[in-house]
Amino acid sequence: MAAATFLLALAVVALGSGHVDAFDPNPLQDFCVTDPTSKVHENGLACKDPAAVVAEDFHFGGLDKPGGTTSKRFGFTANQVQIPGLNTLGESHVRLDVAPGGVFPVHYHPRAAETALVLEGSVYFGFVSSYPDNKLYAKVLRKGDVFAVPQGLVHFLHNNGTTPATLYASLSSQNPGLVLLGNSLFAGALPDNLVAKTLLTDQHTVQTIKANFRRS
Ligand SMILES: *[C@@H]1O[C@H](CO)[C@@H](O)[C@H](O)[C@H]1NC(C)=O
């Protein structure tokens, strides 16, 4: 009887703490500005001495223009908002610019939900629910529209309009992670026959697609 009560209590505690553990840890101080010189590795980055923290640690400018990394192949530019003071706050932000015809290819973030606001242009944006439904939730978004993507679900955006599109996306982790489905299957070292069987196709088709991924 006592053992059963103990197990029940343990289960309740496990359920409660499991809920909290599924997200970035909550900060235990006002801020934990990233210390770029620290060699200490933890779940997040080490904090700078609070006495040395300045307003600039919470600031990032120039987001009125595209910048950061550009993918010519896919037609997008991603400018990650780099604010040292966001460390441990459980969020990250990015400006995305997508050329007409461009895509942010099909991907998911293992550790974050996402909301995206369209600042300019129009995009076809959406996500697919998990197996076995694989249901598509997608819309054509225009300037001023916001769309939410649940954590871990496969999503995409396609600028199938005729003008450049700009979006601002916020993610619910300081390190959302990015899994690009095409790269996982065709840019890594998975054997051709395994990928072919996974996609119910032949190895020749897989080799052709892999060659496209190797071409830059
Ligand atoms: C973009 O694609 C969506 C989904 O197929 C479609 O509803 C929309 O009309 C397309 N927009 C343009 C400008 O072709």
Side-chain angles (χ1 to χ4, degrees):
M1 183 63 191
T5 310
F6 175 71
L7 280 178
L8 181 65
L10 202 65
V12 169
V13 168
L15 278 174
S17 62
H19 173 74
V20 171
D21 288 349
F23 299 93
D24 284 7
N26 285 323
L28 299 175
Q29 61 273 308
D30 280 357
F31 47 74
C32 169
V33 172
T34 307
D35 176 0
T37 64
S38 174
K39 292 196 167 60
V40 178
H41 293 264
E42 51 180 307
N43 193 19
L45 296 161
C47 313
K48 198 168 158 178
D49 176 358
V53 170
V54 291
E56 200 51 37
D57 288 323
F58 301 96
H59 170 258
F60 184 77
L63 215 64
D64 53 326
K65 295 176 201 73
T69 52
T70 294
S71 167
K72 286 209 172 69
R73 169 187 290 175
F74 292 114
F76 73 82
T77 297
N79 198 359
Q80 170 101 34
V81 175
Q82 282 156 15
I83 295 181
L86 278 183
N87 184 38
T88 75
L89 299 189
E91 57 184 85
S92 50
H93 306 267
V94 64
R95 171 183 166 142
L96 282 177
D97 290 273
V98 191
V103 292
F104 199 100
V106 177
H107 67 282
Y108 69 90
H109 306 289
R111 292 178 290 277
E114 173 175 340
T115 52
L117 161 67
V118 179
L119 298 170
E120 286 300 335
S122 144
V123 290
Y124 182 56
F125 189 105
F127 67 88
V128 180
S129 69
S130 56
Y131 178 87
D133 292 339
N134 308 306
K135 187 171 168 190
L136 175 66
Y137 297 84
K139 271 182 84 67
V140 175
L141 305 181
R142 298 195 165 77
K143 186 172 177 167
D145 287 345
V146 181
F147 203 79
V149 179
Q151 180 164 347
L153 295 189
V154 166
H155 57 285
F156 59 87
L157 85 81
H158 180 195
N159 181 358
N160 62 346
T162 51
T163 57
T166 303
L167 293 93
Y168 185 80
S170 299
L171 295 105
S172 64
S173 168
Q174 82 173 67
N175 189 13
L178 173 64
V179 177
L180 293 156
L181 269 57
N183 291 59
S184 297
L185 288 168
F186 301 108
L190 288 177
D192 294 354
N193 60 351
L194 172 61
V195 178
K197 282 180 188 293
T198 298
L199 296 178
L200 304 175
T201 188
D202 56 274
Q203 285 193 52
H204 177 72
T205 305
V206 170
Q207 282 154 6
T208 306
I209 302 174
K210 280 194 172 183
N212 288 339
F213 270 85
R214 278 194 294 271
R215 219 168 279 137
S216 53

